[in-house]
Amino acid sequence: MKKREVIFYDGGAMGPPESVQLLENCEALILTGGADYKIKIEEAKILTFWKNIELIGVWNWRKKYPYVKPKYESMTDGYSWELKLRDRSGREKYCTGYESFPRSFKKLLYELNNLFGSEIEI
């Protein structure tokens, strides 16, 4: 049985979060600035997204950032994020972060924005 494909990202600081999520039948839900709307995404764009995720190396990211406990506790008004992925072959990645990011994180945001037509930034 084929597992459901998952592309989900949520991130933000202080204000409403920026969130994108792939739904069924090539539809997507985008939450931005407190508003939400649905769009249709071309199948080819989704396939290109998965190819680029492979090139970026997202499958090798750690589960949590920062992955070592910081020396000092940080304030709680920084940027926090969450990523959930499951490709068509069933490979999964779940990771979160607070004020810490993998090296290629901006490339991920670029790919998400390209796929969903969103404007997510750190």
Side-chain angles (χ1 to χ4, degrees):
M1 183 174 168
K2 186 176 140 184
K3 290 192 174 195
R4 191 170 78 82
E5 194 172 19
V6 174
I7 302 172
F8 173 83
Y9 175 83
D10 184 71
M14 301 279 289
E18 298 285 325
S19 181
V20 291
Q21 179 178 4
L22 183 66
L23 305 172
E24 293 182 6
N25 301 318
C26 296
E27 284 192 327
L29 178 63
I30 300 168
L31 283 86
T32 182
D36 62 270
Y37 57 95
K38 286 185 179 178
I39 62 166
K40 197 84 165 151
I41 298 177
E42 296 173 25
E43 177 83 9
K45 281 183 91 170
I46 296 170
L47 294 173
T48 299
F49 173 83
W50 287 123
K51 196 180 312 175
N52 292 337
I53 287 303
E54 184 76 39
L55 293 172
I56 293 169
V58 173
W59 302 115
N60 299 321
W61 287 3
R62 298 178 185 271
K63 287 186 187 250
K64 191 169 182 181
Y65 291 86
Y67 52 88
V68 292
K69 190 165 174 66
K71 186 174 181 179
Y72 303 103
E73 284 297 315
S74 54
M75 301 294 282
T76 57
D77 60 354
Y79 192 89
S80 62
W81 58 275
E82 176 182 28
L83 175 68
K84 296 178 191 175
L85 298 174
R86 183 186 308 124
D87 69 8
R88 293 172 182 197
S89 65
R91 188 165 40 167
E92 298 177 318
K93 175 54 74 177
Y94 174 75
C95 48
T96 63
Y98 178 75
E99 283 298 305
S100 183
F101 313 92
R103 283 195 178 133
S104 52
F105 190 75
K106 286 188 177 183
K107 290 179 182 177
L108 167 72
L109 294 184
Y110 174 84
E111 294 303 330
L112 288 168
N113 288 333
N114 191 38
L115 178 63
F116 291 102
S118 51
E119 296 179 11
I120 301 166
E121 35 182 63
I122 301 173

